[in-house]
Amino acid sequence: MKVDKFFQNFELLTDAPNAVVKMQEIIMRLAFSGKLTKRDISDVKVNDIFKEIKFEKKRLLEETTFREPKDFKPIHHNEILFELPKEWMWARIGELFLISSGTTPNRTNHKYFENGTEYWVKTTDLNNETVLTCEEKITKQAVLDCNLKYYPVGTVCVALYGGAGTIGKSGLLGIETTINQSVCGIYPNKYVNAKYLHLYIKLIRPLWMNFAASLRKAPNINAGVVNNMVFPLAPLEEQKRIVEKCDRLLSTCDEIEKRQQQRQQSILRMNESAIAQLLTSQNPEEFRQHWQRICNNFDLLYSIPETIPKLRQAILQLAVQGKLVRQDPNDESASVLLKKVETEKENLINQKKIKRIDSLPAIDFNNLPYQIPKTWEWVRLGSLVEVITKGSSPKWQGINYVEDSSGTLFITSENVQNYVINITEPKFVEAKFNEIEPRSILKRNDILMNIVGASIGRTAIFDRDDIANINQAVCLIRFISPEKFIELRYILHFFNSPVCISFMFDKQVDSARANLSMGNIAKFPIPLPPLAEQKRIVEKCDRLMSLCDILEAKLKQGRDSSEKLMEVAAKQVLTA
């Protein structure tokens, strides 16, 4: 693909994720391989410019405190990033510019920072754009005592360290300033356009990030690495033409990105509004109208993958509100179901098979999140279960992990994913762990819930026959005769619904320790439908969730196709 044709289809190619960022990179790669502008025979030859730079650099070294690096090695062909026009040349950055890093004055010495007037640039001031201010200033005394250099407007600064998100970040100085030790300043000269240099530094940032990541010690770069980086030296007038063309094209990229973000935000807002209206419908007719509106605009509302998680949450919320399937007056009501559960529970207690759970607070019917159908009942979770308990850590009991299944399968919060128990890499502990912790031995159809850390609330059904136990970050919830009274996947859908998530995090989670207590889990109010309706809800929920998966996959596939189209077009234009 020719460059002209590439830019004629510019906006069509920016539909992929991160497409604008990739387009910006393509523009700069075209620029620095000489494919963005035409040659001009009247331009001063690069060899003459290189000689002038050497002469100017020698003069500056005599007049300043910069130090000349050691002799540079010839550029190896493996270092060359791309082919240059014959009128250009590769040189090392340190051959063309004076380079050094700064200093951090002693922070315990107040005279260096109090009422500072001198700009002092740190890595946090670099955002790959022009630097017009900085968050901290130092005093003139600090500049004198620490022999800090002033860097003029046009200097390009590079972050030498500060983590993967910071290394290689740059800034073009729009102010005269000093810099600290984590920043490297590339002193400007009159033979290289400052913006041309800065654009190139932004283009090669991934190279420095990869270099830093490859180091065994601290992932940093230093001034020596910057000195030795290769640089495509073009005639000065061509540098200016490249900067002017890049500015126009990159500005177009910014406009496209802004339009894309506005479109996506608009879709997300419309989606949230449509779902909110659906969930707050006061009667069947209102619900039907809002649902019809979603159906009529479905292709727009669900045209990006980011809206699908919201759709899943809406389905679950509708399910536990009793709005997903019709009620059947022939169903045995939830109130009758609860009486049977209570009878079964009393029998198990009398037979000493389970212990009585501490009395649960009565449900405040004036403070429930929504109304439920007449055949449903609000009930505390603890009223439906045999036991709610958690495991413990083997190390507390002096138990060792073992390498094979001769021990006890040990389930941790990593294994409890949303809806599934993931045991791709099983852990086992000594079999005697079950003798020490018999209360948390798992049975088929136990529901497991993560109760500690970032994965709080993830739930799944233990659907295995393995002899297994759990650690202290996992809670076991065992329902009374679920095969007779409870459809466990309905409970699972409830646990993943927005209303239950709000129960978990509204005063239930101890934010200081990020911990969900078993006592609070027992108090969860559950909207319980008749058993037959539970089954209908699960069947419809599962079907709709499967459709969501298909839709999400198609939308992502569409993005992947756009991304591949971008890659093909980029490869064609860069190799043309």
Side-chain angles (χ1 to χ4, degrees), residues 54 57 68-74 92 94-95 224 227-228:
K54 287 278 193 179
K57 187 181 174 190
E68 175 71 39
K70 295 180 181 179
D71 291 339
F72 293 100
K73 293 180 180 179
R92 297 196 186 277
E95 291 182 282
N227 268 303
N228 282 285

Side-chain angles (χ1 to χ4, degrees), residues 160-164 167 212-213 215 217-221:
L160 299 177
Y161 49 89
I167 290 172
L215 300 178
K217 296 182 179 180
N220 304 327
I221 59 175

Side-chain angles (χ1 to χ4, degrees), residues 13 30 68 103 117 213 231 370 524 543:
L13 294 169
L30 289 170
E68 175 71 39
T103 302
T117 58
F231 179 80
Y370 50 80
F524 284 173
R543 190 154 37 89

Side-chain angles (χ1 to χ4, degrees), residues 512-528:
R513 293 178 296 148
N515 180 279
L516 184 60
S517 76
M518 292 178 291
N520 281 331
I521 293 172
K523 295 174 187 174
F524 284 173
I526 292 184
L528 188 69

Side-chain angles (χ1 to χ4, degrees), residues 381 385 387-392 411-413 416 421 439-440 442 446-452 455-462 469-479 495 504 515-522 524:
L381 175 63
V385 302
V387 65
I388 300 177
T389 190
K390 65 178 181 178
S392 65
I411 305 295
T412 69
S413 58
V416 182
I421 302 293
R439 63 191 171 86
S440 51
L442 297 181
D446 285 343
I447 287 185
L448 303 184
M449 176 184 289
N450 290 347
I451 57 173
V452 176
S455 65
I456 282 178
R458 284 204 313 231
T459 51
I461 298 170
F462 186 72
N469 213 310
I470 53 176
N471 77 349
Q472 74 279 7
V474 179
C475 171
L476 176 164
I477 305 170
R478 183 172 297 148
F479 283 81
F495 282 150
M504 292 177 186
N515 180 279
L516 184 60
S517 76
M518 292 178 291
N520 281 331
I521 293 172
F524 284 173

Side-chain angles (χ1 to χ4, degrees), residues 8 41 51 67 75 122 135 145 153 300 315 320 333 354 359 474 552 560:
Q8 286 171 8
I41 58 172
K51 291 176 184 177
R67 288 184 293 180
I75 295 174
K122 300 181 294 186
E135 66 178 15
D145 290 355
V153 171
L300 173 62
I315 290 167
V320 299
S333 70
I354 65 171
S359 60
V474 179
E552 188 174 43
D560 290 343

